[in-house]
Amino acid sequence: MSALAYTYRYPFASELAITPKGPDLRLATCSGADQHPYFFKGQFVYPKQAAELLRGLSQVVQSRYYMPPGMLSRILALADPVVTSGDDVLRLEAFSACCSAYARVDFSEPALDGELHERGTTNVDFNAPMRAALARVRDSDRVGLSVGTDRLEFSRGEETVVERKVSLPTRWLKGFVEVQAYQARMRDRLEISGLEARRFLRALPRGTKSGTYWLVPAGRGLRLSQRQSAGAVPVTGIERLRVAEDIARHAQAVHIHVDEETKASAWEWVLDGARFHLVLSPEVSRGFSGEGQALAALAGKDWQEILSRVQASLRWHAAIDPQPLAAKLGTPPETIRAALAALGTRGLVGYDLARRAYFHRELPFDLSLVEKLQPRLQDARELVDGGKVRIIRHNADGLEARVAGTEVDHRVTCKADVWKCTCRWYAKHQGTRGPCKHVLAAQLTADQTGNH
Amino acid sequence: MLPIELERVLDQGDVAGCVVLFANATERERSSMAKIAVPRLKKQLGGILGRLLDRFGALPEHDESLLSQFELAKREQIVATQVAVLACAPLGQLKKLGVRAVPPADEAYAVLVARRPPWIDEWAEFICNLSAFCWPVVRRLVREGICKRPDGDGYIEGMLSIGRGFHSRGPIIEALLEDPELLEHEIWRIFELEPKRHTRDLLSAREGTRPEYSWISTLVSLWHAGKLSRPRLLDASLDGLHRDFEEVRANWFAALHERLSPTIDERAERTRRYLSLLHSRNGSTVSFALKALAVLQKGERLDGGALLENLRPALGQRTKVTVGAALKLLGRAALVDGLSERAAALAADALLHESPDVQRAAVDIIERHGRPKDATLRGLVEQRLSGLAASQRNRLAEWLQAGVPSEIEAPGRADSPELDGCLERIEALDAHFCELAGMPAVAAICQGSGGEISAVSLAPMDVPRLDPQQRIEPIADLDALLERFAVLLEDPSSPDEVERVLDGVSRLCGKPPADLQERIAPLQAQALELIRNLGRTEWFESVLRSSLAVLAVRWAVGPAPNGRDTAFGPAQLSGGVFQARLGGIVRRAARRRAAPLLSAPTHAGGWIDPRTLVARAQTWQTLGQLPDNLDRAFALLRLAPEHRSAALQHAHSIEGEFGEALRYALGGEVESIGSNEILWVAAARARTPFEDDKRVEERHPGLGADGGTAAGYRFHPGRRAEGQRMFNLYGALLERIPPVPERCPDNLPTVALHSPFTYVGGAGLHRWLGTIWPLARESFFAFGVDNIVGNERGQMDMRADRPFLEALFDPDVPLTRIGGLLLTGALSAKHAEESLLATDALIAAIGDGRLDRALLGKALARLLPTGLLKPNRVAKTLAAAAKISPLHAYVIAGGLQQGLQWVGGFLSTRMTWTGLAVVLRLLKELLIEVGEPVGPDLRAALSGLKTTANNAALIRQLSYLEENNSGSAANAAARYALIRRIERAERWSRCAEGERRTSPRDK
């Protein structure tokens, strides 16, 4: 199965309604187990900035930075953003159609003035008229915001239910969960002012640019380079950054986070009471979906016993610190981190780069399918079940195993926690796209036999 | 209805008969016939015809030759089957068949009217989204109330295809007037249509040039005819623009709006909407709104306050013209009482634009309407000061000074480096390296002696190249070798890694362990898979990877039965320097005869420590074997300049012709030149890379450039225009002297480096070729010049040529004539990746002291009049590089001035006026930056030019420039240069010290 049939069901169409008090942004929430959750009622303190952020988010959703050859004629139904209300933050997340860019807007108290009604996660309707209306918001407007509707008000209303059936590709869903594993590995490498960021974005070459570029500090700003040098930070598919051009106008600072191993990067735009995160996959043609960064965690078993207890402690917290949680549950912090990574792959937590912590949110999709569709892990389990893994040697120096491949047996070794394999996948990616099925199979076997 | 009846009409291609046959059939009868009709249609349209139909949506109407050419059924037979399928198949089946199951409009209509299936609405929606070809039938069904109007965009896109060939071929207006209902509903949905890839052209500025086939002209005509409402059209076009569709589509709305020529009253009614469009993501929409607002402002119908509230996004646009238009509006609005200060603050936003002209317009407003004592405005200006063009920076600094004099720093670069601790660092250095790095002269300029900062003179034999940190660690064991080999097969982009693996195979292929077959099997399988898929799925670096794959397979399975790897098809070893080098290793690996590779580099970049080479040669001698010719030639060419005399002392024991050639390469004397031309040419080139070797030329004459005679070059800029080249054989910019033989031998590597056939491959191969003769990169750069300069190539070629520019980064490679030409020429490359890489190289070369004003000036003077440099591109890259440091600004300002000066009298005949304007504008800013006036020679050359008014104004501005603290700028540049040269000398000292401590390891 390559797609998940999903129905967005909204009590009304989101809109920027013009009321006597001023514009009122009414975001419709999708029905789920909790009927049309009602998260927030209040107003934007910086309306123009908020409008730009929401437009930026919707632009990511609408973007397809890469068109795989076989998909020219297929039209992907647009997926609506996911909203999470927890603690003091209202987060809206979205993913580009090609799965190579993930965006999240975090609104917190200084940017929002109002009342948080419920905690939870659901979809919000981002229709075209509403997106166009956002362009007309001015700073002098007093813009109200409601995410969801009061039940009483809703029952009195005469709104038409909006229903949209879409086919969400599995790779899109997988990307949504995989991106959290990337963010957790990123390091904050550069910081520039909002003004310099604007300058940098203006200087970006036009058109689609493939290949790796390097960001080099130049004075107080950044310069784009084609060469790796000391202090340079990699960034790929730079055309994806243009989505932030309007947001940059309001930004105070920008933090650039990078996963050095894969060259995935995250751009965190700091605004008044809000943050815009734009996470870019290592290549435009490589969505986050097939990366397998969390496969090793999924294949492990240390965290499995503790998983339900960690899950029970999430409680819509906006930042989950592994240390106190580890102390509370009586397990090492590493196990908690592994459990959180595993929960990330199930869509139960997201990662906040600004706080360097996971946060609780439950993606409103049935992700059991996604988990089942980890083909590498499935293949590895088949290899183990088929008795195709032989542990040759296991001692203090490491481990050596023979795993049957399609034509030949592959040699899997582990030395100082570095796993290697003689298969082509490993030769091609050297572990940057997660372990191969042979390594996973060896790990699973070693776990089963207590060797690992 | 009987199956036999259906088969008869289908065989006969009786379309009308088929329609009649199904006319009164029940659904049950119809479904029983589907078993006959559907497979028949699948068979008829199974091949190329079906694919054509899927793509174009209709069968060829008149041309039967296409059908007969492929021995296909006759057109009537196919149409009859389509009629039958549409008449009997269920909806699911029809969806699967798509347009293949849709007969021409009349027949389809007849079938559906007779059938009236319950799913007709769904089918109509589906088929409209699939192909515009099906619109006529769906429209007829809608018109007659047989199905409801489809909601999807496909229905409207179908309508837009009227007049495009497959519907009515008459003018669009005729089709619309024939069906007036379209004017009520469908026509207005055009304005809600989001563009898709295949429909983009239907409603773009590029739509039909003839008015009768243009939708804009049609809509305007319909308004003239009183069929459409003018206010509604005006509003709808603005609605369309508000939807922020992509630029191509937005331009159509704007064009329609302007074609309606709104009156000032009509515009005034829509002022809020124009203002709102200033927030659009599309630059062209913003530009459209600015034009409309300018009309309103001119007619005094625009509220300045409202304008200012909305203008900010327009001031942040990229296009110079758009920001310029926004500033004009702003300037006029500022004249209104109470708005001047707000206008000045807004103008500060436009200071972020890189164009000095835009910055000047913004500064005009700030100066005129801003108060220097206004703290908010001061803050905005101060934040933006550092990124401004020098001319505007000075103006704003003066304006700031007028406000609060004591707080303002003098304008200029704040990044002048300090020389703290430099003296101690210099004293700790070897005097020889200080001299070599040109430090005394630069130190004197720092102390105020004056003079120009000259480039470091890099004599190839004096500069130490063996950096201990760049040592190549040989692969130690079989497992590591197998792993690295597998990785290399996937990505051979690093030449050092290629050589490491070749060396590993060469050393470790003998005495195979008992389980070798089991251990090598994955590598063998990987190599075979790669060879199998060459040209299909395996395109990346196919030359290198296929050659390496052959090595892997031969090592695993032994020699090819007849000595040639014909079984591998295109991957067999034939031709090319890399394949020639690999040949000897493949033969030994196949026979499992291990031996150290004589030419394996000891250091990154292809360098071999001469002492190590002598030790290796002694090992071979002890083994009683002789390495192959090319291995020996490579070894000589890769000799590093240092330790040659020490190596020579030990080389006396090496016997035979190779021993003689080795000693000759190391600088020793020999009685006579031997007969092996491969060895002696390599020895001559290693001994004196840039000089002719008369003895070798005498003994082996006529081998071509870089044989016995060192290569010379003659520049032919006109050749680039002579047309498309094939492997660079035609139109090479540099003529080699002496010429390269037509059949250039692969085993004479230095000569082969001049042959275009050597470079047939990807970036990995090119990078590896750059390591063949690291001492002299001129031939490598020369090929880079031929390939890159003035060559507007595709992206694939551009990536393959990256290594030529990468080689420019080596701080010890002198940028003499050819290197300078390559670097300067690449600055105006078309692709951003390439021009950025060239800019990086320029920044590096100026920073490490290899490029000075004279060298840059010469290269610019050579290229600017040829048309090979695009002035706007080169101005952009030079301006970017000039911002890096005072030294960069100094070198580029002086280089540009000298270049223009040398072009001199040719300026008027060899450069376009616009090109000259761009260059002069840059020169002006750079000269202001470094505080220098225009030199007398250039002043004379410029004053004699009869040029445009714009250029004349620029020339006047240039001539007014006076020396303004230029000593300080030169001093800052010299301090920067001195620090970088100290770093250079320290690096050399580290190399020399490290290599003194290290003895050759692999004796």
Side-chain angles (χ1 to χ4, degrees), chain B residues 790-809:
Chain B
N791 193 357
E792 310 272 302
R793 304 148 303 148
Q795 244 178 4
M796 289 291 280
D797 291 338
M798 183 266 294
R799 283 192 192 134
D801 290 340
R802 273 183 72 100
F804 299 113
L805 295 176
E806 286 168 2
L808 293 168
F809 286 94

Short mmCIF file of all heavy atoms in Angstrom, two decimals, chain B residues 790-809:
data_model
loop_
_atom_site.label_atom_id
_atom_site.label_comp_id
_atom_site.label_asym_id
_atom_site.label_seq_id
_atom_site.Cartn_x
_atom_site.Cartn_y
_atom_site.Cartn_z
N GLY B 790 33.38 31.18 -21.37
CA GLY B 790 32.44 31.58 -22.42
C GLY B 790 31.57 30.46 -22.93
O GLY B 790 30.98 30.56 -24.00
N ASN B 791 31.52 29.37 -22.18
CA ASN B 791 30.78 28.20 -22.64
C ASN B 791 29.49 28.06 -21.85
O ASN B 791 29.52 27.70 -20.67
CB ASN B 791 31.67 26.96 -22.47
CG ASN B 791 31.12 25.75 -23.20
OD1 ASN B 791 30.05 25.83 -23.80
ND2 ASN B 791 31.85 24.67 -23.17
N GLU B 792 28.37 28.32 -22.46
CA GLU B 792 27.08 28.24 -21.76
C GLU B 792 26.56 26.81 -21.87
O GLU B 792 25.80 26.48 -22.78
CB GLU B 792 26.09 29.22 -22.39
CG GLU B 792 26.62 30.61 -22.55
CD GLU B 792 26.38 31.49 -21.34
OE1 GLU B 792 25.24 31.66 -20.94
OE2 GLU B 792 27.38 31.99 -20.78
N ARG B 793 27.04 25.98 -20.97
CA ARG B 793 26.74 24.56 -21.09
C ARG B 793 25.61 24.12 -20.21
O ARG B 793 25.07 24.88 -19.42
CB ARG B 793 27.97 23.73 -20.70
CG ARG B 793 29.17 24.07 -21.47
CD ARG B 793 30.42 23.91 -20.67
NE ARG B 793 30.39 24.70 -19.47
CZ ARG B 793 30.96 24.36 -18.36
NH1 ARG B 793 31.58 23.23 -18.27
NH2 ARG B 793 30.91 25.15 -17.32
N GLY B 794 25.27 22.84 -20.34
CA GLY B 794 24.25 22.24 -19.48
C GLY B 794 24.85 21.95 -18.11
O GLY B 794 26.07 22.02 -17.92
N GLN B 795 23.96 21.56 -17.18
CA GLN B 795 24.41 21.35 -15.82
C GLN B 795 25.33 20.15 -15.67
O GLN B 795 26.26 20.16 -14.86
CB GLN B 795 23.21 21.19 -14.91
CG GLN B 795 23.16 22.32 -13.92
CD GLN B 795 21.98 22.26 -13.01
OE1 GLN B 795 21.20 21.32 -13.04
NE2 GLN B 795 21.85 23.26 -12.18
N MET B 796 25.08 19.11 -16.47
CA MET B 796 25.91 17.90 -16.36
C MET B 796 27.36 18.23 -16.71
O MET B 796 28.28 17.83 -16.01
CB MET B 796 25.39 16.83 -17.33
CG MET B 796 24.08 16.22 -16.93
SD MET B 796 24.21 15.20 -15.48
CE MET B 796 24.87 13.71 -16.19
N ASP B 797 27.54 18.97 -17.81
CA ASP B 797 28.90 19.33 -18.22
C ASP B 797 29.55 20.19 -17.15
O ASP B 797 30.72 20.04 -16.84
CB ASP B 797 28.86 20.13 -19.52
CG ASP B 797 28.43 19.27 -20.68
OD1 ASP B 797 28.56 18.06 -20.56
OD2 ASP B 797 27.94 19.82 -21.68
N MET B 798 28.73 21.08 -16.60
CA MET B 798 29.26 22.00 -15.61
C MET B 798 29.79 21.22 -14.40
O MET B 798 30.85 21.52 -13.88
CB MET B 798 28.13 22.94 -15.20
CG MET B 798 28.47 24.01 -14.23
SD MET B 798 28.12 23.53 -12.57
CE MET B 798 26.36 23.40 -12.58
N ARG B 799 29.05 20.19 -13.99
CA ARG B 799 29.52 19.42 -12.83
C ARG B 799 30.78 18.64 -13.16
O ARG B 799 31.66 18.50 -12.33
CB ARG B 799 28.42 18.47 -12.38
CG ARG B 799 27.41 19.27 -11.65
CD ARG B 799 26.41 18.48 -10.89
NE ARG B 799 25.40 19.44 -10.52
CZ ARG B 799 24.12 19.27 -10.63
NH1 ARG B 799 23.65 18.14 -11.08
NH2 ARG B 799 23.28 20.19 -10.27
N ALA B 800 30.86 18.13 -14.38
CA ALA B 800 32.05 17.37 -14.75
C ALA B 800 33.28 18.27 -14.77
O ALA B 800 34.40 17.80 -14.59
CB ALA B 800 31.83 16.73 -16.12
N ASP B 801 33.06 19.56 -14.97
CA ASP B 801 34.19 20.49 -15.08
C ASP B 801 34.59 21.13 -13.75
O ASP B 801 35.52 21.94 -13.71
CB ASP B 801 33.87 21.59 -16.10
CG ASP B 801 33.85 21.03 -17.51
OD1 ASP B 801 34.44 19.95 -17.72
OD2 ASP B 801 33.24 21.65 -18.39
N ARG B 802 33.90 20.82 -12.70
CA ARG B 802 34.24 21.40 -11.38
C ARG B 802 35.71 21.20 -11.00
O ARG B 802 36.33 22.11 -10.46
CB ARG B 802 33.36 20.76 -10.29
CG ARG B 802 32.04 21.44 -10.06
CD ARG B 802 31.33 20.76 -8.91
NE ARG B 802 31.96 21.08 -7.65
CZ ARG B 802 31.50 22.00 -6.81
NH1 ARG B 802 30.41 22.67 -7.11
NH2 ARG B 802 32.10 22.25 -5.67
N PRO B 803 36.29 20.00 -11.26
CA PRO B 803 37.67 19.78 -10.81
C PRO B 803 38.67 20.80 -11.34
O PRO B 803 39.67 21.08 -10.68
CB PRO B 803 37.99 18.37 -11.34
CG PRO B 803 36.67 17.71 -11.42
CD PRO B 803 35.70 18.77 -11.82
N PHE B 804 38.41 21.36 -12.54
CA PHE B 804 39.35 22.36 -13.06
C PHE B 804 39.38 23.57 -12.14
O PHE B 804 40.44 24.15 -11.90
CB PHE B 804 38.94 22.79 -14.48
CG PHE B 804 38.93 21.65 -15.46
CD1 PHE B 804 37.75 21.19 -16.02
CD2 PHE B 804 40.11 21.00 -15.79
CE1 PHE B 804 37.75 20.13 -16.90
CE2 PHE B 804 40.12 19.94 -16.68
CZ PHE B 804 38.93 19.50 -17.24
N LEU B 805 38.20 23.96 -11.66
CA LEU B 805 38.14 25.11 -10.76
C LEU B 805 38.61 24.72 -9.36
O LEU B 805 39.25 25.53 -8.67
CB LEU B 805 36.72 25.66 -10.71
CG LEU B 805 36.19 26.24 -12.03
CD1 LEU B 805 34.75 26.67 -11.89
CD2 LEU B 805 37.03 27.43 -12.46
N GLU B 806 38.33 23.50 -8.95
CA GLU B 806 38.78 23.06 -7.61
C GLU B 806 40.30 23.13 -7.50
O GLU B 806 40.84 23.46 -6.45
CB GLU B 806 38.31 21.63 -7.35
CG GLU B 806 36.82 21.52 -7.06
CD GLU B 806 36.32 20.09 -7.09
OE1 GLU B 806 37.13 19.16 -7.31
OE2 GLU B 806 35.12 19.89 -6.91
N ALA B 807 40.97 22.83 -8.63
CA ALA B 807 42.45 22.84 -8.60
C ALA B 807 43.00 24.23 -8.34
O ALA B 807 44.12 24.39 -7.88
CB ALA B 807 42.98 22.30 -9.93
N LEU B 808 42.19 25.25 -8.62
CA LEU B 808 42.65 26.63 -8.39
C LEU B 808 42.77 26.96 -6.91
O LEU B 808 43.36 27.97 -6.54
CB LEU B 808 41.67 27.63 -9.04
CG LEU B 808 41.58 27.63 -10.56
CD1 LEU B 808 40.38 28.45 -11.02
CD2 LEU B 808 42.85 28.19 -11.17
N PHE B 809 42.17 26.15 -6.06
CA PHE B 809 42.19 26.44 -4.63
C PHE B 809 43.52 26.08 -3.97
O PHE B 809 43.78 26.53 -2.86
CB PHE B 809 41.06 25.69 -3.91
CG PHE B 809 39.72 26.27 -4.17
CD1 PHE B 809 38.91 25.81 -5.18
CD2 PHE B 809 39.25 27.32 -3.40
CE1 PHE B 809 37.67 26.36 -5.44
CE2 PHE B 809 38.02 27.89 -3.64
CZ PHE B 809 37.22 27.41 -4.66
#
